[in-house]
Amino acid sequence: MTKPMPAMTNEEFDQRFDNGEDIHTLVDLSQAVITKPGKKCRITIDVSQTLVDSIDRIRHQIGVDRGALIKVWLHERVQKELTRTNSQ
């Protein structure tokens, strides 16, 4: 029998995580699925310096690597497009 999860808002959960608290007891991992992203491929694109500067301003604000930010954005967009095309 699984232990009931304490009721809390997403904001409370995020705050506890951000504060470095151990959140493992707050998460039900029994339904967790590990996905493998597959073989990595390198792509090269040429973009304007203005675009790179804009990306760098954003990444500095949130404290992430440029490549990581671009990967997240690409993933989000692909998921959005897949959802849109699957619903048509």
Coordinates of all heavy atoms in Angstrom, one line a residue:
M1 N 0.8 -1.2 0.0 CA 0.0 0.0 0.0 C 0.9 1.2 0.0 O 1.8 1.3 0.8 CB -0.9 0.0 1.2 CG -1.8 1.2 1.4 SD -2.9 1.0 2.8 CE -4.3 1.6 2.0
T2 N 0.6 2.2 -0.9 CA 1.4 3.4 -0.9 C 0.9 4.4 0.1 O -0.3 4.5 0.4 CB 1.3 4.0 -2.3 OG1 0.0 4.4 -2.6 CG2 1.9 3.1 -3.4
K3 N 1.9 5.2 0.5 CA 1.6 6.2 1.5 C 0.9 7.4 0.8 O 1.3 7.8 -0.3 CB 2.9 6.6 2.1 CG 2.9 7.8 3.1 CD 4.2 8.0 3.8 CE 5.3 8.4 2.9 NZ 6.5 8.8 3.5
P4 N -0.2 8.0 1.4 CA -0.8 9.1 0.8 C 0.2 10.3 0.7 O 0.9 10.6 1.6 CB -2.0 9.4 1.6 CG -1.7 8.8 2.9 CD -0.8 7.6 2.7
M5 N 0.1 11.0 -0.4 CA 0.9 12.2 -0.6 C 0.4 13.4 0.1 O -0.9 13.6 0.1 CB 1.1 12.6 -2.1 CG 1.7 11.5 -2.9 SD 3.4 11.3 -2.5 CE 3.6 9.5 -2.7
P6 N 1.2 14.2 0.8 CA 0.7 15.4 1.5 C 0.2 16.4 0.4 O 0.7 16.5 -0.6 CB 1.9 15.9 2.2 CG 3.1 15.2 1.7 CD 2.6 14.0 0.9
A7 N -0.9 17.0 0.8 CA -1.5 18.0 -0.1 C -0.7 19.3 -0.1 O -0.4 19.8 1.0 CB -2.9 18.3 0.3
M8 N -0.3 19.8 -1.3 CA 0.5 21.0 -1.4 C 0.3 21.6 -2.8 O 0.0 20.8 -3.7 CB 1.9 20.9 -1.0 CG 2.8 20.1 -2.0 SD 4.5 20.1 -1.6 CE 4.5 19.3 0.0
T9 N 0.5 22.8 -2.9 CA 0.4 23.4 -4.2 C 1.7 23.2 -5.0 O 2.8 22.8 -4.4 CB 0.2 25.0 -4.1 OG1 1.4 25.6 -3.5 CG2 -1.0 25.3 -3.3
N10 N 1.7 23.4 -6.3 CA 2.9 23.3 -7.1 C 4.0 24.3 -6.6 O 5.1 24.0 -6.6 CB 2.6 23.6 -8.6 CG 1.8 22.5 -9.2 OD1 1.7 21.3 -8.7 ND2 1.1 22.8 -10.3
E11 N 3.5 25.5 -6.3 CA 4.4 26.5 -5.8 C 5.1 26.1 -4.5 O 6.3 26.3 -4.4 CB 3.7 27.8 -5.6 CG 3.2 28.5 -6.8 CD 1.9 27.9 -7.4 OE1 1.2 27.2 -6.7 OE2 1.7 28.1 -8.6
E12 N 4.4 25.4 -3.6 CA 5.0 25.0 -2.4 C 6.0 23.9 -2.7 O 7.1 23.8 -2.1 CB 3.9 24.4 -1.4 CG 3.0 25.5 -0.8 CD 1.9 24.9 -0.1 OE1 1.3 23.9 -0.5 OE2 1.5 25.4 1.0
F13 N 5.7 22.9 -3.6 CA 6.6 21.9 -3.9 C 7.8 22.5 -4.6 O 9.0 22.1 -4.2 CB 5.9 20.9 -4.9 CG 6.8 19.8 -5.4 CD1 6.9 18.6 -4.6 CD2 7.5 19.9 -6.5 CE1 7.7 17.6 -5.0 CE2 8.4 18.9 -6.9 CZ 8.4 17.7 -6.2
D14 N 7.7 23.4 -5.5 CA 8.8 24.0 -6.2 C 9.7 24.7 -5.2 O 10.9 24.7 -5.2 CB 8.4 25.0 -7.2 CG 7.7 24.3 -8.5 OD1 7.9 23.1 -8.6 OD2 7.1 25.0 -9.2
Q15 N 9.1 25.4 -4.2 CA 9.9 26.1 -3.2 C 10.7 25.2 -2.3 O 11.9 25.4 -2.1 CB 8.9 27.0 -2.3 CG 9.6 27.9 -1.3 CD 10.5 28.9 -2.0 OE1 10.0 29.6 -2.9 NE2 11.7 29.1 -1.6
R16 N 10.1 24.1 -2.0 CA 10.8 23.1 -1.2 C 12.0 22.5 -2.0 O 13.1 22.3 -1.5 CB 9.9 21.9 -0.7 CG 8.9 22.4 0.3 CD 7.9 21.3 0.6 NE 8.3 20.8 1.9 CZ 7.6 19.9 2.6 NH1 6.4 19.4 2.0 NH2 8.0 19.4 3.7
F17 N 11.8 22.2 -3.3 CA 12.9 21.8 -4.1 C 13.9 22.8 -4.3 O 15.1 22.5 -4.1 CB 12.3 21.4 -5.5 CG 13.4 21.0 -6.5 CD1 13.8 19.7 -6.5 CD2 13.9 21.9 -7.4 CE1 14.8 19.3 -7.4 CE2 14.9 21.5 -8.3 CZ 15.3 20.2 -8.3
D18 N 13.5 24.1 -4.5 CA 14.5 25.1 -4.7 C 15.3 25.4 -3.4 O 16.5 25.8 -3.5 CB 13.8 26.4 -5.1 CG 13.2 26.4 -6.5 OD1 13.7 25.5 -7.3 OD2 12.4 27.2 -6.8
N19 N 14.7 25.1 -2.3 CA 15.4 25.3 -1.0 C 16.3 24.1 -0.7 O 17.0 24.1 0.4 CB 14.4 25.4 0.2 CG 13.7 26.8 0.1 OD1 14.2 27.7 -0.5 ND2 12.5 26.8 0.7
G20 N 16.4 23.1 -1.6 CA 17.2 22.0 -1.4 C 16.7 20.9 -0.4 O 17.4 20.0 0.0
E21 N 15.4 20.9 -0.1 CA 14.8 19.9 0.7 C 14.7 18.6 0.0 O 14.7 18.6 -1.2 CB 13.4 20.4 1.2 CG 13.4 21.6 2.1 CD 12.0 21.9 2.5 OE1 11.2 21.0 2.7 OE2 11.7 23.1 2.6
D22 N 14.7 17.5 0.7 CA 14.6 16.2 0.2 C 13.1 16.0 -0.2 O 12.2 15.9 0.6 CB 15.0 15.1 1.1 CG 14.9 13.7 0.6 OD1 14.6 13.6 -0.6 OD2 15.2 12.8 1.3
I23 N 12.8 15.9 -1.5 CA 11.4 15.8 -2.0 C 11.1 14.4 -2.4 O 10.0 14.2 -2.9 CB 11.2 16.8 -3.1 CG1 12.2 16.7 -4.2 CG2 11.1 18.3 -2.6 CD1 11.8 15.9 -5.4
H24 N 12.0 13.5 -2.2 CA 11.7 12.1 -2.6 C 10.5 11.5 -2.0 O 9.8 10.7 -2.6 CB 12.9 11.2 -2.4 CG 14.1 11.5 -3.3 ND1 15.0 12.4 -2.9 CD2 14.3 11.1 -4.5 CE1 15.9 12.5 -3.9 NE2 15.5 11.8 -4.9
T25 N 10.2 11.8 -0.8 CA 9.0 11.3 -0.1 C 7.7 11.9 -0.6 O 6.6 11.5 -0.3 CB 9.1 11.5 1.4 OG1 9.2 12.9 1.7 CG2 10.3 10.7 2.0
L26 N 7.9 13.0 -1.3 CA 6.7 13.8 -1.9 C 6.3 13.3 -3.3 O 5.3 13.8 -3.8 CB 7.0 15.3 -1.8 CG 7.4 15.9 -0.5 CD1 7.7 17.3 -0.7 CD2 6.3 15.7 0.5
V27 N 7.1 12.5 -3.9 CA 6.9 12.1 -5.3 C 6.6 10.6 -5.3 O 7.3 9.8 -4.7 CB 8.2 12.4 -6.1 CG1 8.0 12.0 -7.5 CG2 8.5 13.9 -6.0
D28 N 5.6 10.3 -6.1 CA 5.2 8.9 -6.3 C 6.0 8.4 -7.6 O 5.6 8.7 -8.7 CB 3.7 8.7 -6.5 CG 3.3 7.3 -6.8 OD1 4.1 6.4 -6.6 OD2 2.1 7.1 -7.1
L29 N 7.0 7.6 -7.4 CA 7.8 7.1 -8.5 C 7.3 5.8 -9.0 O 7.9 5.2 -9.9 CB 9.3 7.0 -8.0 CG 9.9 8.3 -7.6 CD1 11.4 8.1 -7.1 CD2 9.9 9.3 -8.8
S30 N 6.2 5.2 -8.5 CA 5.8 3.9 -8.9 C 5.3 3.9 -10.4 O 5.3 2.9 -11.0 CB 4.6 3.4 -8.0 OG 3.5 4.3 -8.2
Q31 N 4.9 5.0 -10.9 CA 4.5 5.1 -12.3 C 5.5 5.8 -13.2 O 5.2 6.1 -14.3 CB 3.1 5.9 -12.4 CG 2.0 5.2 -11.6 CD 1.6 3.9 -12.1 OE1 1.5 3.7 -13.3 NE2 1.4 2.9 -11.2
A32 N 6.7 6.1 -12.7 CA 7.7 6.8 -13.4 C 8.2 5.9 -14.6 O 8.3 4.7 -14.5 CB 8.9 7.1 -12.5
V33 N 8.4 6.6 -15.7 CA 8.9 5.9 -16.9 C 10.2 6.6 -17.4 O 10.3 7.8 -17.4 CB 7.9 6.1 -18.1 CG1 8.4 5.4 -19.3 CG2 6.6 5.4 -17.7
I34 N 11.2 5.8 -17.6 CA 12.5 6.3 -18.1 C 12.5 6.2 -19.6 O 12.3 5.1 -20.1 CB 13.7 5.6 -17.4 CG1 13.6 5.8 -15.9 CG2 15.0 6.1 -18.0 CD1 14.7 5.0 -15.2
T35 N 12.7 7.3 -20.3 CA 12.8 7.2 -21.7 C 14.3 7.5 -22.1 O 15.0 8.2 -21.5 CB 11.9 8.3 -22.4 OG1 12.3 9.6 -21.9 CG2 10.5 8.0 -22.0
K36 N 14.7 6.8 -23.2 CA 16.0 7.0 -23.7 C 15.9 7.9 -24.9 O 15.1 7.6 -25.8 CB 16.6 5.6 -24.1 CG 16.8 4.7 -22.9 CD 17.5 3.4 -23.2 CE 17.7 2.6 -22.0 NZ 18.3 1.4 -22.2
P37 N 16.7 8.9 -24.9 CA 16.6 9.9 -26.0 C 17.1 9.4 -27.4 O 16.8 10.0 -28.4 CB 17.4 11.1 -25.6 CG 18.4 10.5 -24.6 CD 17.7 9.3 -24.0
G38 N 17.8 8.3 -27.4 CA 18.3 7.8 -28.7 C 19.7 8.3 -29.0 O 20.3 9.0 -28.2
K39 N 20.2 7.9 -30.1 CA 21.5 8.3 -30.5 C 21.6 9.8 -30.7 O 20.7 10.4 -31.3 CB 21.9 7.6 -31.8 CG 23.2 7.9 -32.4 CD 23.5 7.2 -33.7 CE 24.8 7.7 -34.3 NZ 25.0 7.3 -35.6
K40 N 22.6 10.4 -30.3 CA 22.8 11.9 -30.5 C 23.4 12.2 -31.8 O 24.3 11.4 -32.3 CB 23.7 12.4 -29.4 CG 23.1 12.4 -28.0 CD 23.9 13.1 -27.0 CE 23.2 13.1 -25.7 NZ 23.9 14.0 -24.7
C41 N 22.9 13.2 -32.4 CA 23.4 13.7 -33.7 C 23.8 15.1 -33.6 O 23.1 15.9 -32.9 CB 22.4 13.5 -34.8 SG 21.8 11.8 -35.1
R42 N 24.9 15.5 -34.2 CA 25.3 16.9 -34.2 C 24.7 17.7 -35.4 O 24.7 17.1 -36.5 CB 26.8 17.0 -34.3 CG 27.3 18.5 -34.2 CD 28.8 18.5 -34.1 NE 29.3 17.9 -32.9 CZ 29.3 18.5 -31.7 NH1 28.9 19.7 -31.6 NH2 29.8 17.9 -30.6
I43 N 24.1 18.9 -35.1 CA 23.7 19.7 -36.2 C 24.4 21.0 -36.1 O 24.8 21.5 -35.0 CB 22.1 19.9 -36.2 CG1 21.7 20.6 -34.9 CG2 21.4 18.6 -36.3 CD1 20.2 21.1 -34.9
T44 N 24.6 21.7 -37.2 CA 25.2 23.0 -37.3 C 24.3 23.9 -38.0 O 23.8 23.6 -39.1 CB 26.6 22.9 -38.0 OG1 27.4 21.9 -37.4 CG2 27.3 24.2 -38.0
I45 N 24.0 25.1 -37.4 CA 23.2 26.1 -38.0 C 23.9 27.4 -38.0 O 24.6 27.7 -37.0 CB 21.8 26.2 -37.4 CG1 21.9 26.5 -35.9 CG2 21.0 24.9 -37.6 CD1 20.6 26.8 -35.2
D46 N 23.7 28.2 -39.0 CA 24.2 29.6 -39.0 C 23.0 30.5 -38.7 O 22.0 30.4 -39.3 CB 24.8 29.9 -40.4 CG 26.0 29.1 -40.7 OD1 26.8 28.8 -39.8 OD2 26.1 28.7 -41.9
V47 N 23.2 31.4 -37.7 CA 22.2 32.3 -37.3 C 22.9 33.7 -37.1 O 24.1 33.8 -37.0 CB 21.5 31.9 -36.0 CG1 20.7 30.6 -36.2 CG2 22.4 31.8 -34.8
S48 N 22.1 34.7 -37.1 CA 22.6 36.1 -37.0 C 23.2 36.3 -35.6 O 22.8 35.7 -34.6 CB 21.6 37.1 -37.3 OG 20.6 37.1 -36.2
Q49 N 24.2 37.2 -35.5 CA 24.8 37.5 -34.2 C 23.7 38.1 -33.3 O 23.8 37.9 -32.1 CB 26.0 38.5 -34.4 CG 26.7 38.8 -33.1 CD 27.3 37.6 -32.5 OE1 28.0 36.8 -33.2 NE2 27.1 37.4 -31.2
T50 N 22.8 38.9 -33.9 CA 21.7 39.5 -33.1 C 20.9 38.4 -32.4 O 20.6 38.6 -31.2 CB 20.8 40.3 -34.0 OG1 21.6 41.3 -34.7 CG2 19.7 41.0 -33.2
L51 N 20.6 37.3 -33.1 CA 19.8 36.2 -32.5 C 20.7 35.6 -31.4 O 20.1 35.3 -30.3 CB 19.4 35.2 -33.5 CG 18.7 34.0 -33.0 CD1 17.4 34.4 -32.3 CD2 18.3 33.0 -34.2
V52 N 21.9 35.3 -31.6 CA 22.8 34.8 -30.6 C 22.9 35.7 -29.4 O 22.8 35.2 -28.2 CB 24.2 34.5 -31.1 CG1 25.2 34.0 -30.0 CG2 24.2 33.4 -32.2
D53 N 23.0 37.0 -29.6 CA 23.0 37.9 -28.4 C 21.7 37.9 -27.6 O 21.7 37.9 -26.4 CB 23.3 39.3 -28.9 CG 24.6 39.5 -29.5 OD1 25.5 38.7 -29.3 OD2 24.8 40.5 -30.3
S54 N 20.6 37.8 -28.3 CA 19.3 37.7 -27.6 C 19.2 36.4 -26.8 O 18.7 36.4 -25.7 CB 18.1 37.7 -28.6 OG 18.1 39.0 -29.3
I55 N 19.6 35.3 -27.4 CA 19.6 34.0 -26.7 C 20.5 34.1 -25.5 O 20.2 33.6 -24.4 CB 20.1 32.8 -27.7 CG1 19.0 32.6 -28.7 CG2 20.3 31.6 -26.9 CD1 19.5 31.7 -29.9
D56 N 21.7 34.7 -25.6 CA 22.6 34.8 -24.5 C 22.1 35.6 -23.4 O 22.3 35.3 -22.2 CB 24.0 35.3 -25.0 CG 24.8 34.3 -25.7 OD1 24.5 33.1 -25.6 OD2 25.8 34.7 -26.4
R57 N 21.3 36.7 -23.7 CA 20.7 37.5 -22.7 C 19.7 36.7 -21.9 O 19.7 36.7 -20.6 CB 20.0 38.8 -23.3 CG 21.0 39.9 -23.5 CD 20.2 41.2 -23.8 NE 19.4 41.2 -24.9 CZ 19.8 41.3 -26.2 NH1 21.0 41.5 -26.5 NH2 18.9 41.3 -27.2
I58 N 18.9 35.9 -22.6 CA 17.9 35.1 -21.9 C 18.6 34.0 -21.1 O 18.3 33.8 -19.9 CB 17.0 34.4 -22.9 CG1 16.2 35.5 -23.6 CG2 16.1 33.4 -22.3 CD1 15.4 35.0 -24.9
R59 N 19.6 33.3 -21.6 CA 20.3 32.2 -20.9 C 21.0 32.7 -19.7 O 21.0 32.1 -18.6 CB 21.2 31.4 -21.8 CG 22.5 32.1 -22.1 CD 23.4 31.1 -22.9 NE 24.7 31.7 -23.2 CZ 25.7 31.6 -22.3 NH1 25.6 30.9 -21.2 NH2 26.8 32.2 -22.6
H60 N 21.6 33.9 -19.7 CA 22.2 34.5 -18.5 C 21.2 34.8 -17.5 O 21.5 34.6 -16.3 CB 23.0 35.8 -18.9 CG 24.3 35.6 -19.6 ND1 25.3 34.9 -19.0 CD2 24.7 35.9 -20.8 CE1 26.4 34.8 -19.8 NE2 26.0 35.4 -20.9
Q61 N 20.0 35.3 -17.8 CA 19.0 35.6 -16.9 C 18.5 34.3 -16.1 O 18.3 34.4 -14.9 CB 17.8 36.2 -17.5 CG 18.0 37.6 -18.0 CD 16.8 38.2 -18.8 OE1 15.9 37.4 -19.2 NE2 16.8 39.5 -19.0
I62 N 18.4 33.2 -16.8 CA 18.0 32.0 -16.2 C 19.1 31.1 -15.8 O 18.9 30.1 -15.1 CB 16.9 31.3 -17.0 CG1 17.5 30.9 -18.4 CG2 15.7 32.1 -17.2 CD1 16.5 30.1 -19.2
G63 N 20.3 31.4 -16.1 CA 21.5 30.7 -15.7 C 21.7 29.3 -16.3 O 22.0 28.3 -15.6
V64 N 21.5 29.2 -17.6 CA 21.7 27.9 -18.2 C 22.7 28.1 -19.4 O 22.9 29.2 -19.9 CB 20.4 27.3 -18.7 CG1 19.5 27.0 -17.6 CG2 19.7 28.1 -19.8
D65 N 23.2 27.0 -19.9 CA 24.1 26.9 -21.0 C 23.3 27.2 -22.3 O 22.1 26.8 -22.4 CB 24.7 25.5 -21.1 CG 25.5 25.3 -22.3 OD1 26.7 25.7 -22.3 OD2 25.0 24.6 -23.2
R66 N 23.9 27.9 -23.3 CA 23.2 28.2 -24.5 C 22.7 26.9 -25.2 O 21.6 26.9 -25.7 CB 24.2 28.9 -25.5 CG 23.5 29.4 -26.8 CD 24.5 29.8 -27.8 NE 25.3 31.0 -27.4 CZ 26.5 31.3 -27.8 NH1 27.1 30.6 -28.7 NH2 27.1 32.4 -27.4
G67 N 23.5 25.9 -25.4 CA 23.1 24.7 -26.0 C 21.9 24.0 -25.3 O 21.0 23.5 -26.0
A68 N 22.0 24.0 -24.0 CA 20.9 23.4 -23.2 C 19.6 24.2 -23.5 O 18.5 23.6 -23.7 CB 21.2 23.4 -21.8
L69 N 19.6 25.5 -23.5 CA 18.4 26.3 -23.7 C 17.9 26.0 -25.1 O 16.7 25.8 -25.3 CB 18.8 27.8 -23.6 CG 17.6 28.8 -23.8 CD1 16.5 28.5 -22.8 CD2 18.1 30.2 -23.6
I70 N 18.7 26.0 -26.1 CA 18.3 25.8 -27.5 C 17.7 24.4 -27.6 O 16.6 24.2 -28.2 CB 19.4 26.0 -28.5 CG1 19.8 27.5 -28.5 CG2 19.0 25.5 -29.9 CD1 21.1 27.8 -29.3
K71 N 18.3 23.4 -27.0 CA 17.7 22.0 -27.0 C 16.3 22.0 -26.4 O 15.4 21.3 -26.9 CB 18.6 21.0 -26.2 CG 19.9 20.7 -27.0 CD 20.8 19.8 -26.1 CE 22.2 19.8 -26.6 NZ 23.0 19.0 -25.7
V72 N 16.1 22.6 -25.2 CA 14.8 22.7 -24.6 C 13.8 23.3 -25.5 O 12.7 22.9 -25.7 CB 14.9 23.4 -23.2 CG1 13.5 23.7 -22.7 CG2 15.7 22.6 -22.2
W73 N 14.2 24.5 -26.1 CA 13.3 25.2 -27.0 C 12.9 24.3 -28.2 O 11.8 24.3 -28.6 CB 13.9 26.5 -27.5 CG 13.9 27.6 -26.4 CD1 13.2 27.6 -25.3 CD2 14.6 28.8 -26.5 NE1 13.4 28.7 -24.6 CE2 14.3 29.5 -25.3 CE3 15.4 29.4 -27.4 CZ2 14.8 30.8 -25.0 CZ3 15.9 30.6 -27.2 CH2 15.6 31.3 -26.0
L74 N 13.9 23.6 -28.8 CA 13.6 22.8 -29.9 C 12.7 21.6 -29.5 O 11.7 21.3 -30.3 CB 14.9 22.2 -30.5 CG 15.8 23.1 -31.3 CD1 17.1 22.5 -31.7 CD2 15.0 23.5 -32.6
H75 N 13.0 21.0 -28.4 CA 12.1 19.9 -27.9 C 10.7 20.4 -27.7 O 9.7 19.7 -28.1 CB 12.7 19.3 -26.6 CG 11.8 18.3 -26.0 ND1 11.8 17.0 -26.6 CD2 10.9 18.3 -25.0 CE1 10.9 16.3 -25.9 NE2 10.4 17.0 -24.9
E76 N 10.5 21.6 -27.0 CA 9.2 22.1 -26.8 C 8.4 22.4 -28.1 O 7.3 22.0 -28.2 CB 9.3 23.4 -26.0 CG 9.7 23.2 -24.5 CD 9.9 24.5 -23.8 OE1 10.0 25.6 -24.4 OE2 10.0 24.4 -22.5
R77 N 9.1 22.9 -29.1 CA 8.5 23.2 -30.3 C 8.1 22.0 -31.1 O 7.0 21.9 -31.7 CB 9.4 24.1 -31.2 CG 8.7 24.5 -32.5 CD 7.4 25.2 -32.2 NE 6.7 25.5 -33.4 CZ 6.5 26.7 -33.9 NH1 6.9 27.7 -33.3 NH2 5.8 26.8 -35.1
V78 N 9.0 21.0 -31.1 CA 8.7 19.7 -31.8 C 7.4 19.1 -31.1 O 6.5 18.6 -31.8 CB 9.9 18.8 -31.8 CG1 9.5 17.4 -32.2 CG2 11.0 19.3 -32.7
Q79 N 7.4 19.1 -29.8 CA 6.2 18.5 -29.1 C 5.0 19.2 -29.5 O 3.9 18.6 -29.7 CB 6.5 18.5 -27.6 CG 7.6 17.6 -27.1 CD 7.5 16.1 -27.6 OE1 6.4 15.5 -27.5 NE2 8.5 15.6 -28.3
K80 N 5.0 20.5 -29.5 CA 3.9 21.3 -29.9 C 3.4 21.0 -31.3 O 2.2 20.9 -31.5 CB 4.2 22.8 -29.8 CG 3.1 23.8 -30.1 CD 3.6 25.2 -30.0 CE 2.5 26.2 -30.4 NZ 2.9 27.6 -30.2
E81 N 4.3 20.9 -32.2 CA 4.0 20.6 -33.6 C 3.4 19.2 -33.7 O 2.5 19.0 -34.5 CB 5.2 20.8 -34.5 CG 5.6 22.2 -34.7 CD 4.6 23.1 -35.4 OE1 3.9 22.6 -36.3 OE2 4.4 24.2 -34.9
L82 N 4.0 18.3 -33.0 CA 3.5 16.9 -33.1 C 2.0 16.8 -32.5 O 1.2 16.1 -33.1 CB 4.4 15.9 -32.3 CG 5.7 15.6 -32.9 CD1 6.6 14.8 -32.0 CD2 5.6 15.0 -34.3
T83 N 1.8 17.5 -31.4 CA 0.5 17.6 -30.8 C -0.5 18.2 -31.8 O -1.6 17.7 -32.0 CB 0.5 18.4 -29.5 OG1 1.4 17.7 -28.6 CG2 -0.9 18.4 -28.9
R84 N -0.1 19.3 -32.4 CA -0.9 20.0 -33.4 C -1.3 19.1 -34.6 O -2.4 19.0 -35.0 CB -0.3 21.3 -33.9 CG -1.2 22.2 -34.8 CD -0.4 23.4 -35.2 NE 0.7 23.1 -36.1 CZ 0.6 22.9 -37.4 NH1 -0.5 22.8 -38.0 NH2 1.7 22.7 -38.1
T85 N -0.2 18.5 -35.2 CA -0.5 17.7 -36.4 C -1.2 16.4 -36.0 O -2.0 15.9 -36.9 CB 0.8 17.3 -37.1 OG1 1.7 16.7 -36.2 CG2 1.5 18.6 -37.6
N86 N -1.1 15.9 -34.8 CA -1.8 14.6 -34.4 C -3.3 14.9 -34.2 O -4.1 14.0 -34.3 CB -1.2 14.0 -33.2 CG 0.1 13.3 -33.6 OD1 0.4 13.0 -34.7 ND2 1.0 13.1 -32.6
S87 N -3.6 16.2 -33.8 CA -5.0 16.5 -33.6 C -5.8 16.9 -34.8 O -7.0 17.1 -34.8 CB -5.1 17.6 -32.5 OG -4.5 18.8 -33.1
Q88 N -5.1 17.0 -35.9 CA -5.8 17.4 -37.2 C -6.3 16.2 -37.9 O -6.0 15.1 -37.8 CB -4.8 18.1 -38.1 CG -4.5 19.5 -37.6 CD -3.5 20.2 -38.5 OE1 -3.0 19.7 -39.5 NE2 -3.3 21.5 -38.2

